[in-house]
Structure formats: C-alpha cells, structure tokens
Amino acid sequence: MTFDSQAYTAQLEEKATRLRDLLAPFDAPEPAVFDSPLANFRLRAEFRLWREAGERHYAMFSQEDKRTPILIEEFPIASLRINQLMPQLKAAWQASAALSHKLFQVEFLTTLAGDAMITLCYHRPLDEHWHAAASKLAADLNVSVIGRSKGKREVIGHDYVVEKLEVGGRTFSYRQPEGAFTQPNGTVNQKMLNWAYDALGDRSDDLLELYCGNGNFTLPLATRVRKVLATEISKTSVNAALSNLSENAVDNVSLVRLSAEELTEALNEVRPFRRLHGIDLKSYEFGSVFVDPPRAGMDPDTCELTRRFENILYISCNPQTLAANIAQLHDTHRITRCAMFDQFPWTHHMESGVLLTRR
C-alpha cells in the first residue's frame, strides 16, 4: 500500500492552520510543525480476532459500524516489526490449538529500538499446554508474550519493552510496561522531547512536573534543572518511571503518587499527605512547571496553580482544552513558543506544545 504524500502535506497544513486559529486570540508566534513518517509510524496495535470460513483473522471496526468487521492481513500504519509479526503469529495460532482455543484479542507493542511484546487475550483459563506453546512462540519470534484471562496474567519474558530515544545528544532508555500508556508514534515522540528540552533551556532552579507517566519527558528535562518534583497517579506508570530514573542514573527527581489536584492541595497547605513524607516542599525553588494532561486538560484549580510559575511548558493532546486553559492564564502569561506535532497522521488528532512565560 502506498500513501499520497501530497494528501499528507495538505492534511498537515490543515492541522497547523487549526492550531494557528485556536491560538490567534493569544498572539501566539508561528508554530513549529513536526511531521510524521507516512507509514509504519505506529508502535502499538490492537486487533480483535474474527472467525470466518473456519479460520481466525485479524479484525478492526470502524467508528461508524461496530458490528461489521474489517478483516486485515497487514496494517501499513503500524511499525515494520508489527507487520512482520502479524503473519508469523497467525501461522502459530493456526498450527496450535493451545494458542488458538478461545483466543479473542491480540495486542502488539514495539519500539524504535527493536523490542517487541505480544499480548494474547482469552475467554478461558490458561494451562500448562498454553504455557508450553507460548514459550515456544516467544523463543521462535524473539518477543515477550503475555497471556491474559479473566483478570489473570501469565508473563513469558518481560512484561515491558525497552525503548531508546535520543534527546539533546544523549540516549535515554525507557521501560514501557504492558497495559500502560506510551506515545504511539516513537519518531514524533522523539521530536516532542527535543522540542520540550530546547524550550525549557538550561536553568539553575527547579521544575515541577504534573502527569509524568513513565518519565517520558522527566528524564531529559531533569538534565536541564537543579531538581524535579514529579507527580503521577497510576501505580504502573510510577513504577516504570522509578525504574527509568534508576536505569538512566537520573538522581535529581523526587516522584510522588499524587493527582494534580492533590498536589495543588499540598502546595497550598490545605492538608498534609503521607505520600509526601520525607519531601520538603519548601526546599524547592520552582521556576517552571511542565504539564502533559489528559484530553480534558487541566482542571481550573490546577490551572491556577501553574499561574504562580515563571514558565509553563504545556504539551497537549487536545488543542481545544489547551486553548481553554491558555484563556484562563492569558492575563498573567504570554505564549513565547508553540509547536504542532503530528503524532496521529491520517486522523484529525494532533499533539501541540506551548511555552508560556510570565508577562
């Protein structure tokens, strides 16, 4: 399958124009535009399995019709590794009743660094026959295999993949756990990290990071400041972030499992939190805050919290909620840099970034 580069260029410009229009009321500078590869950019994929003519096939469903499957043999937007693994896995389940019996969903997770994991989901308990077949599959395909069945999980190999990304001339290693959020477009993610690294600049004060996930931005940004206080609510992501900090010998980050709303209460001394035991909030000299919130954006109280910082570095997966948050901050902060990252080509979705500086 070939992709129309002219159609892609037109779509990219339409997204950039949409971002310009949303940020125009705030006198934003011209956005830097970071494009994506046209194909093989997506590092993860999830497929239902559909039985037809006595065989199971990879299947997806359109947003408009959740009942009619689209049977597929390859997935051109997915990574080359996923496309390589798809027929190999299909041949394996066709040859093994232990692998195929009541198998209903398959998930792939790969990295630019070449690591891969396959998750197999079943409507039945997993027994020793499955374990033997899955162990052979993992060895044959050089992947980790996860089996899931009614809240139980079997792990063959690792329950994570390892990514390596170059930011600011340094290579960072990231453990990305099965089931946790990771940026799907690794090439564009690396561009986002380098833009944020450059936008923050070298500083002698401290950084507060909200919604830190597995430490995707934390690792490179920590090398730009004196120390970091980072927060994340997901246990899986917190554990991955702690592993990533240790693996990369980044030792100036304190990570706490608090929501952005809870941290706001702690900084405003509304109430103490046991999870902050041993962390002296008054020892921090915060000059900047970094936020990468969910699609709903920052809630009003968290938005007010960010107002107290000189710099607000904001990565957004929803330009509408980004604009709404900027409207709340516009009287004290102005946009000094902005960017559009085409994390999701061939869709209307985009990631964007702004640096807001106190007036």
Side-chain angles (χ1 to χ4, degrees):
M1 181 176 180
T2 58
F3 290 92
D4 185 339
S5 61
Q6 288 186 322
Y8 175 73
T9 301
Q11 187 185 74
L12 190 68
E13 177 54 31
E14 185 276 327
K15 291 181 182 181
T17 298
R18 185 150 45 97
L19 183 62
R20 287 188 198 100
D21 291 345
L22 281 166
L23 300 184
F26 314 113
D27 301 317
E30 177 68 11
V33 177
F34 295 91
D35 64 355
S36 168
L38 274 64
N40 304 122
F41 52 81
R42 189 172 176 84
L43 294 176
R44 64 175 191 250
E46 177 181 305
F47 304 101
R48 294 300 297 268
L49 297 191
W50 193 267
R51 185 183 288 276
E52 190 168 286
E55 283 189 17
R56 282 183 176 84
H57 302 270
Y58 295 107
M60 301 186 82
F61 297 82
S62 71
Q63 291 290 335
E64 296 75 30
D65 184 355
K66 297 292 189 181
R67 296 190 175 189
T68 306
I70 302 166
L71 305 185
I72 56 178
E73 297 297 324
E74 59 182 15
F75 195 40
I77 67 170
S79 67
L80 290 172
R81 187 78 194 278
I82 290 176
N83 280 280
Q84 175 193 43
L85 289 170
M86 286 174 67
Q88 294 174 331
L89 175 60
K90 186 174 183 178
W93 83 55
Q94 286 176 332
S96 169
L99 287 177
S100 64
H101 183 49
K102 294 197 175 180
L103 174 65
F104 72 93
Q105 183 166 300
V106 173
E107 299 165 13
F108 296 93
L109 180 61
T110 60
T111 68
L112 296 176
D115 208 357
M117 176 168 57
I118 298 173
T119 300
L120 305 173
C121 303
Y122 291 87
H123 285 312
R124 67 173 177 95
L126 302 178
D127 56 19
E128 66 274 11
H129 301 294
W130 178 87
H131 199 278
S135 296
K136 183 178 186 304
L137 176 72
D140 288 347
L141 301 187
N142 190 28
V143 299
S144 291
V145 173
I146 310 290
R148 285 193 169 274
S149 168
K150 290 185 178 177
K152 294 188 177 180
R153 189 176 73 147
E154 294 274 350
V155 179
I156 297 168
H158 299 293
D159 65 349
Y160 59 85
V161 291
V162 174
E163 181 62 286
K164 294 186 182 297
L165 300 172
E166 186 170 318
V167 186
R170 175 177 170 179
T171 300
F172 293 91
S173 176
Y174 292 90
R175 182 177 294 194
Q176 300 180 339
E178 187 252 352
F181 173 78
T182 53
Q183 297 285 351
N185 189 324
T187 302
V188 176
N189 182 37
Q190 189 162 255
K191 293 178 180 182
M192 290 201 312
L193 293 173
N194 277 283
W195 179 86
Y197 176 90
D198 189 52
L200 181 63
D202 269 323
R203 301 187 59 86
S204 57
D205 52 15
D206 303 327
L207 174 70
L208 175 65
E209 181 182 5
L210 309 180
Y211 324 95
C212 78
N214 72 342
N216 185 47
F217 287 93
T218 318
L219 299 181
L221 295 185
T223 67
R224 302 293 254 173
V225 296
R226 191 178 66 131
K227 58 182 181 176
V228 179
L229 178 63
T231 69
E232 171 57 49
I233 195 62
S234 161
K235 268 187 182 179
T236 303
S237 294
V238 166
N239 290 335
L242 290 172
S243 295
N244 291 336
L245 291 168
S246 174
E247 173 72 22
N248 292 274
V250 175
D251 59 4
N252 63 336
V253 177
S254 294
L255 199 158
V256 291
R257 198 168 70 84
L258 290 174
S259 69
E261 294 81 0
E262 288 171 328
L263 183 70
T264 300
E265 290 184 341
L267 290 172
N268 289 335
E269 300 182 350
V270 173
R271 64 186 177 104
F273 288 88
R274 237 180 309 177
R275 282 167 281 172
L276 282 168
H277 178 72
I279 294 177
D280 181 8
L281 291 178
K282 295 186 186 302
S283 72
Y284 287 87
E285 298 173 10
F286 292 119
S288 306
V289 59
F290 174 77
V291 296
D292 183 9
R295 287 190 61 77
M298 292 189 288
D299 67 274
D301 288 343
T302 304
C303 208
E304 281 304 307
L305 169 69
T306 64
R307 190 193 295 279
R308 67 178 71 174
F309 300 93
E310 179 184 345
N311 297 302
I312 304 167
L313 188 54
Y314 191 144
I315 296 289
S316 169
C317 59
N318 184 343
Q320 278 78 23
T321 55
L322 170 66
N325 284 158
I326 293 173
Q328 185 175 340
L329 298 165
H330 187 55
D331 58 332
T332 56
H333 287 72
R334 62 188 179 88
I335 302 175
T336 53
R337 295 180 69 158
C338 66
M340 194 279 284
F341 309 98
D342 199 20
Q343 181 80 234
F344 309 100
W346 311 113
T347 77
H348 70 280
H349 296 292
M350 64 170 132
E351 296 263 336
S352 50
V354 296
L355 176 65
L356 297 156
T357 304
R358 182 177 288 138
R359 293 182 182 278

